[in-house]
Amino acid sequence: MNTRRITTTLSALTAALVLAGCASVASDGLRGDVQQQTQSRLPKDAQLASANADARKEAQDRIADWLKQPVDQDTAVRIALLNNPDLHAQLAELAAQDAERAQALTLINPTLTLGRFTNGHEREIERQLGFNLVNVITLPWRSRWLGWQMERATLQASQNVLLMAAETRRAWLRAVASEQSLAAAVKMNDAAQLGAELARRMAQVGNFNKLQQARELSIAQESAAQLARARLAAATDREQLSRMMGLWGTQAAFQLPAQLPAIPRSAGELRSGDDAEATALRERLDLRALRRDLDTTADRGGWAGVGAVFGDIGATYSNNRSTDRETGHVEKTRGWELDLPLPIFDWGGSASARTRAEVRRSAALLQSTALRARGEARTSWSRYRTAWDLAHQQQAEVLPLAKLVQDETVLRYNGMFDSVWQLLAQARATTQAVVNATNAQRDFWLAETDLQLALTGTSPGETAALGSSASNAASNTNEQGH
Amino acid sequence: MQRRNFFKGAATAVTTAVAAASVSRVAMAALPEPASQSSADTAAPLVPPNGRPYRPVVTLNGWTTPWRMSNGVKEFHLVAEPVVREVAPGFSVNMWGYNGQSPGPTIEVVEGDRVRIYVTNRLPEHTTIHWHGQRLPNGMDGVGGLTQPHIAPGKTFVYEFVARRPGTFMYHPHADEMAQMAMGMMGLWITHPKAASPLIAHVDRDYAFLLSAYDVEPGAMTPRVNEMTDFNIWTFNSRVFPAITPLVAKQNDRVRIRVGNLTMTNHPIHIHGHEFEVTGTDGGPVPRSARWPEVTTDVAVGQMRQVEFIADELGDWALHCHKSHHTMGAMGHDVPTMIGVDHRGLVSKIQKIVPDYMLMGERGMGDMGSMEMPLPDNTFPMMSGTGPFGSLEMGGMFTTLKVRAQLGANDYRDPGWFKHPKDTVAWEWTGKPLGADAPRQTPPGSASGAPSVRKPGTDSGHDQHH
Ligand SMILES: [Cu+2]
């Protein structure tokens, strides 16, 4: 028998396969690669959740430790990376993809065909060992393409990590700002309730009529409603943050700092916008992923025609043995069989056309995304810069002015030019100014988060429009004074 | 106060500020040098250095302008210009006036004098001067557009006429007068009688002032010229109590007070402790048969009143407008009354929101007079002034008439607070206090005699619910 020779052939192919080195599954499900891609774009020491049970246990301990103190922005991101179940799912998906890739690179098992045929005087035993030749020949290329595809999938997963981090950051900023606004709403409501109580006592001794009292009461009612809305907003925003950090139960009772981080003091400390576009083109992971796509498509293009024509080439080794039943004479035939499809109708032209089109599409997609990246770099920077201007104006001009108005109102109250209700109304207006300043401060950090993402990560997606908070605030402000 | 020192020079005819710019530079062809005054204190009476003699008036917190004689004509030079008037120490107002002050200097002449007045306009807009109450040629009456062209900025016009009638008069613009008078453009004009007249008495003290009102936003400096009714600064000669000079008199002096009203409302001027007669108006001396005794005379808008009395009662007597708001400084007219409102449990809560909050007005407004609370810059408090017995709680058209037994004839200095003879000051009852079961007033907020409402939860009301 010549099975030994077959074995030799198969061994050689297996060796080629091993040499291609692609069929192994990454032991960490490519988390290390994702970690590497995102490291510089995440808070220092931020770790991705591990698939390893011990590591996960350790991560939980670390999270429990962090939660003992008010959770700052970076810690919120760290917790989310370790604990967010959506992120776990995405990383698991990446590992699954990697396993699929490894599987795809495994050679299709040879086909062993056994036949036993008998007639009156003969018994024939047929043994065929066949395998797909192209599958073997194209192995190194396919291995390369699939490698690129995995790189692409890794880049996609990295983008998801960054998006998740950004979303956590945004949730943290909103939660802290809402908490601050709630404190202000409590103060505004206190002022309004005091005004109403004093008005009630005024009416009691006949100094106010029903109308005057009712006006103060309606201010208090409006203010109570505003407080309720502020409570809901604070609870909702906090809930969103817990969800991002994957916290529930007692862990959801985490503490937050009382204040948002201060904005940069001067415009000089801001990130310059000059290199925004270049940075985005150089750093963005979505662009890198599309570049890999283009490589793959282009590389494949060269093989498309061949693959289309000869995709079904098959080689079969046959070893037949027929035995004459009477004489016992054994006749053996051995030989190769080659299946060749006849490209009568398609010499691979349409396949080539398709891959050419795919290359073009891939290139166009890359170009369009690069264009968008440029645009996003510019607009994110403008938003960031304007957000700083607005927040800085609030800090440096609006708040001091509100303070001055408050002080002058006290002086006017002292001189009996204004009443205590005007004083309380001004206190509410001043507090509202603090809320507006907080919102502007939050908007700056939101814009900063988007800018980071747009420059070094990926498309920031939907970003909150600046000034929306101001208009919210305006609609929330009830009439001051009377 | 500075004004006390200011009177030290009262014996000399002309005060230093005026002397510096006085009559010496006579040059026929040249304009007379305008005299200017930088102080808001009361200047000593200006004894006439030349011309017909007369007994000069004392302009409260004002002064009389010197003149020069030119071929028998008394020449004055008024310069209409923006000024900053010290309405009270620490409270200055941007005004328009004449020769450094608002009101402008008092012009004093004698019946029959030929008077030539040069008027230079240093205002940003045109002006004229109307000589309120004078008999004069129509073309000298100073109504811009009607009797003369306006005096453009930078121009000088000349008015010339004979002071035909003795009396108390004033001068003010008759061009954009609403704005210009709201900005303080006004002055007194006194024509003394040439000879003794049966209707014009000789007086020992002759005081003159104009009533004017301004609306200055607390903390601002310029009057709101468009205000018509809601003024917050009520003044004698653009001064407010306690910055108004007291009127002093030696016991049994015959005192004349001349008051002109250039505000937009009437002012019942009231003098304590004495009866007076209105002896003249801007129409001239009042016939004796038409005079009757009063303690208050209403000075209507655009009018002048001349009252006379013998200051025979010793003491510090109030002299004021009887509209009580007119004796108050700036105040918020929309501030609700807080009297009787229970603030228990609220003050500390308000202070949590407004740390500088102080409770005011729940017992009345009198606290304002004694509380020293920070106010907006350049704001005159609603009530201030301190007397020998405490806070005076006044801040507008209010001053005092101080009658003393011992006083030099030309001494106008503030003699200080009156020393009351023993047992002549109201005293505190120290006997048995009012019993607790004495009738009390109706509790605030409930009308007396109204049916009382039963509240649910009270015993009888409770029964009715079932
Ligand atoms: Cu009055």
Side-chain angles (χ1 to χ4, degrees), chain B residues 74-323:
Chain B
K74 272 187 179 167
E75 288 189 334
F76 297 87
H77 192 166
L78 293 179
V79 179
E81 61 186 356
V83 301
V84 175
R85 171 72 172 181
E86 189 197 69
V87 174
F91 174 50
S92 298
V93 177
N94 295 326
M95 289 191 187
W96 288 356
Y98 299 95
N99 300 38
Q101 286 295 325
S102 165
T106 301
I107 292 175
E108 284 184 82
V109 299
V110 180
E111 180 187 359
D113 276 354
R114 183 160 199 88
V115 177
R116 187 179 296 135
I117 307 131
Y118 296 84
V119 177
T120 298
N121 182 6
R122 281 193 196 146
L123 298 172
E125 69 166 349
H126 65 213
T127 188
T128 65
I129 300 189
H130 164 60
W131 313 99
H132 182 111
Q134 301 286 348
R135 295 278 185 142
L136 36 62
N138 187 230
M140 293 292 162
D141 198 38
V143 181
L146 177 65
T147 64
Q148 69 163 92
H150 294 97
I151 310 171
K155 300 289 183 192
T156 299
F157 271 48
V158 184
Y159 294 86
E160 187 168 335
F161 53 90
V162 173
R164 281 160 60 181
R165 200 157 65 70
T168 304
F169 309 106
M170 45 192 181
Y171 61 89
H172 61 78
H174 230 296
D176 189 19
E177 58 203 81
M178 181 199 89
Q180 293 190 4
M181 281 162 61
M183 288 294 282
M185 305 267 304
M186 58 190 71
L188 285 155
W189 177 300
I190 313 294
T191 304
H192 296 279
K194 181 162 57 181
S197 151
L199 292 181
I200 302 173
H202 168 89
V203 294
D204 304 296
R205 310 262 168 177
D206 200 340
Y207 291 98
F209 58 89
L210 290 172
L211 305 171
S212 58
Y214 304 94
D215 178 32
V216 182
E217 272 292 311
M221 269 191 86
T222 308
R224 290 182 52 245
V225 297
N226 291 337
E227 182 53 56
M228 190 170 174
T229 53
D230 193 11
F231 298 92
N232 58 12
I233 310 295
W234 303 95
T235 74
F236 291 174
N237 273 351
S238 301
R239 281 291 267 200
V240 290
F241 182 79
I244 303 173
T245 302
L247 285 70
V248 299
K250 186 170 185 290
Q251 191 173 26
N252 298 321
D253 270 358
R254 186 168 188 85
V255 178
R256 179 185 290 137
I257 300 174
R258 308 167 190 252
V259 186
N261 179 2
L262 283 174
T263 72
M264 295 209 213
T265 187
N266 62 316
H267 299 278
I269 298 298
H270 174 52
I271 299 177
H272 293 206
H274 298 80
E275 315 84 46
F276 58 73
E277 284 181 347
V278 176
T279 57
T281 71
D282 25 0
V286 177
R288 292 196 177 276
S289 59
R291 300 178 186 179
W292 66 84
E294 282 199 299
V295 296
T296 303
T297 188
D298 198 22
V299 189
V301 181
Q303 285 185 338
M304 311 215 63
R305 290 289 177 268
Q306 188 180 294
V307 306
E308 286 171 29
F309 59 97
I310 304 295
D312 48 7
E313 295 291 346
L314 292 174
D316 295 340
W317 304 106
L319 188 174
H320 61 95
C321 172
H322 216 292
K323 288 188 174 174

Side-chain angles (χ1 to χ4, degrees), chain A residues 34-221:
Chain A
V34 172
Q35 177 90 40
Q36 207 186 343
Q37 290 292 354
T38 52
Q39 196 83 68
S40 63
R41 296 163 170 84
L42 291 174
K44 197 169 160 289
D45 299 337
Q47 294 287 323
L48 287 177
S50 171
N52 177 307
D54 285 349
R56 296 184 83 150
K57 169 78 182 63
E58 195 193 318
Q60 284 308 318
D61 291 348
R62 218 174 320 151
I63 289 171
D65 231 28
W66 281 329
L67 290 178
K68 284 178 189 156
Q69 281 169 18
V71 178
D72 67 20
Q73 204 180 158
D74 283 349
T75 305
V77 173
R78 288 186 191 107
I79 294 175
L81 291 178
L82 287 175
N83 212 30
N84 184 294
D86 287 342
L87 197 59
H88 287 173
Q90 277 162 9
L91 292 174
E93 169 74 21
L94 182 66
Q97 265 178 287
D98 189 44
E100 270 175 38
R101 175 196 61 103
Q103 197 178 18
L105 286 178
T106 309
L107 284 179
I108 296 164
N109 287 332
T111 328
L112 178 67
T113 316
L114 295 175
R116 184 172 181 281
F117 310 97
T118 53
N119 57 18
H121 55 273
E122 258 181 338
R123 190 178 65 232
E124 195 178 317
I125 295 176
E126 206 178 89
R127 285 166 294 196
Q128 282 184 337
L129 188 63
F131 52 90
N132 188 314
L133 257 189
V134 170
N135 204 9
V136 178
I137 296 165
T138 58
L139 184 64
W141 285 274
R142 285 195 293 122
S143 151
R144 188 165 75 202
W145 301 333
L146 285 173
W148 287 348
Q149 253 172 31
M150 276 327 289
E151 203 180 318
R152 191 202 188 291
T154 309
L155 285 168
Q156 185 59 56
S158 303
Q159 289 177 58
N160 288 343
V161 168
L162 294 181
L163 281 167
M164 171 73 64
E167 199 42 60
T168 307
R169 230 176 247 291
R170 291 186 194 123
W172 185 90
L173 290 167
R174 294 201 177 102
V176 175
S178 294
E179 201 73 50
Q180 273 182 269
S181 295
L182 174 59
V186 168
K187 194 173 167 185
M188 281 189 270
N189 186 52
D190 285 351
Q193 302 304 331
L194 276 172
E197 173 57 20
L198 205 52
R200 192 185 65 77
R201 297 190 191 180
M202 284 284 276
Q204 205 171 38
V205 295
N207 295 14
F208 262 2
N209 58 32
K210 284 177 186 168
L211 180 61
Q212 288 169 305
Q213 187 192 356
R215 284 194 180 124
E216 295 304 330
L217 193 61
S218 77
I219 289 170
Q221 287 166 348

Side-chain angles (χ1 to χ4, degrees), chain A residues 35 104 141 162 173 208 219 242 253 300 336 381 436 445 480:
Chain A
Q35 177 90 40
W141 285 274
L162 294 181
L173 290 167
F208 262 2
I219 289 170
S242 321
R300 244 180 202 167
W336 287 93
W381 187 82
N436 293 352
W445 288 116
Q480 310 294 348

Side-chain angles (χ1 to χ4, degrees), chain A residues 364-395:
Chain A
L365 211 58
L366 175 59
Q367 201 185 5
S368 120
T369 306
L371 218 65
R372 191 170 63 165
R374 280 175 189 277
E376 280 173 356
R378 275 197 310 271
T379 52
S380 300
W381 187 82
S382 299
R383 269 206 195 98
Y384 161 80
R385 177 60 220 232
T386 309
W388 184 82
D389 286 343
L390 291 172
H392 183 255
Q393 187 205 26
Q394 291 285 332
Q395 300 277 339

Side-chain angles (χ1 to χ4, degrees), chain A residues 190-191 194 197-198 201-202 204-208 408 410-421 423 427, chain B residues 330-332 335-344 346 349 353 357-358 360 365 368 373-376 379 445:
Chain A
D190 285 351
L194 276 172
E197 173 57 20
L198 205 52
R201 297 190 191 180
M202 284 284 276
Q204 205 171 38
V205 295
N207 295 14
F208 262 2
E408 286 296 316
V410 172
L411 296 182
R412 286 182 62 89
Y413 168 78
N414 288 350
M416 285 200 182
F417 307 118
D418 283 345
S419 73
V420 65
W421 288 274
L423 196 59
Chain B
M331 58 193 282
V335 174
T337 304
M338 305 300 291
I339 294 172
V341 177
D342 178 10
H343 276 73
R344 273 173 299 175
L346 295 185
K349 283 184 186 168
I353 295 162
Y357 167 81
M358 290 269 289
M360 282 190 300
M365 310 284 263
M368 275 296 289
M373 310 256 287
L375 299 182
T379 297

Side-chain angles (χ1 to χ4, degrees), chain A residues 186-471:
Chain A
V186 168
K187 194 173 167 185
M188 281 189 270
N189 186 52
D190 285 351
Q193 302 304 331
L194 276 172
E197 173 57 20
L198 205 52
R200 192 185 65 77
R201 297 190 191 180
M202 284 284 276
Q204 205 171 38
V205 295
N207 295 14
F208 262 2
N209 58 32
K210 284 177 186 168
L211 180 61
Q212 288 169 305
Q213 187 192 356
R215 284 194 180 124
E216 295 304 330
L217 193 61
S218 77
I219 289 170
Q221 287 166 348
E222 172 54 39
S223 175
Q226 199 177 336
L227 175 60
R229 285 193 288 268
R231 277 219 171 93
L232 177 64
T236 313
D237 287 344
R238 189 191 164 86
E239 195 54 53
Q240 171 67 10
L241 177 60
S242 321
R243 201 155 58 224
M244 292 308 296
M245 295 196 293
L247 299 180
W248 56 278
T250 51
Q251 280 195 321
F254 58 86
Q255 287 182 353
L256 288 173
Q259 304 265 319
L260 289 171
I263 61 164
R265 241 177 250 272
S266 69
E269 292 171 38
L270 293 180
R271 191 181 174 124
S272 151
D274 298 340
D275 60 341
E277 289 180 52
T279 308
L281 292 182
R282 194 177 59 240
E283 304 265 327
R284 268 173 67 148
L285 300 182
D286 55 344
L287 290 177
R288 283 204 211 162
L290 286 168
R291 219 167 277 139
R292 269 286 162 264
D293 271 359
L294 180 59
D295 291 344
T296 314
T297 337
D299 201 37
R300 244 180 202 167
W303 283 89
V306 182
V309 180
F310 301 108
D312 294 333
I313 292 177
T316 315
Y317 174 79
S318 305
N319 185 353
N320 294 342
R321 176 194 173 103
S322 58
T323 310
D324 193 305
R325 296 172 86 167
E326 288 173 10
T327 61
H329 172 76
V330 177
E331 203 177 307
K332 295 179 179 171
T333 48
R334 300 191 276 269
W336 287 93
E337 236 178 7
L338 208 57
D339 292 334
L340 282 179
L342 292 180
I344 295 170
F345 306 107
D346 179 6
W347 276 91
S350 53
S352 305
R354 185 177 147 209
T355 49
R356 276 201 303 277
E358 271 172 6
V359 171
R360 277 202 303 276
R361 187 188 65 162
S362 202
L365 211 58
L366 175 59
Q367 201 185 5
S368 120
T369 306
L371 218 65
R372 191 170 63 165
R374 280 175 189 277
E376 280 173 356
R378 275 197 310 271
T379 52
S380 300
W381 187 82
S382 299
R383 269 206 195 98
Y384 161 80
R385 177 60 220 232
T386 309
W388 184 82
D389 286 343
L390 291 172
H392 183 255
Q393 187 205 26
Q394 291 285 332
Q395 300 277 339
E397 296 166 28
V398 177
L399 281 185
L401 193 64
K403 170 90 171 64
L404 178 92
V405 172
Q406 174 79 64
D407 291 349
E408 286 296 316
T409 308
V410 172
L411 296 182
R412 286 182 62 89
Y413 168 78
N414 288 350
M416 285 200 182
F417 307 118
D418 283 345
S419 73
V420 65
W421 288 274
Q422 282 161 313
L423 196 59
L424 291 171
Q426 186 52 52
R428 297 201 311 274
T430 308
T431 312
Q432 182 60 55
V434 173
V435 172
N436 293 352
T438 304
N439 288 345
Q441 195 179 350
R442 174 201 64 193
D443 288 347
F444 167 76
W445 288 116
L446 288 175
E448 199 257 0
T449 303
D450 289 347
L451 178 66
Q452 285 300 336
L453 203 54
L455 292 190
T456 64
T458 181
S459 175
E462 274 183 47
T463 49
L466 290 181
S468 64
S469 56
S471 63

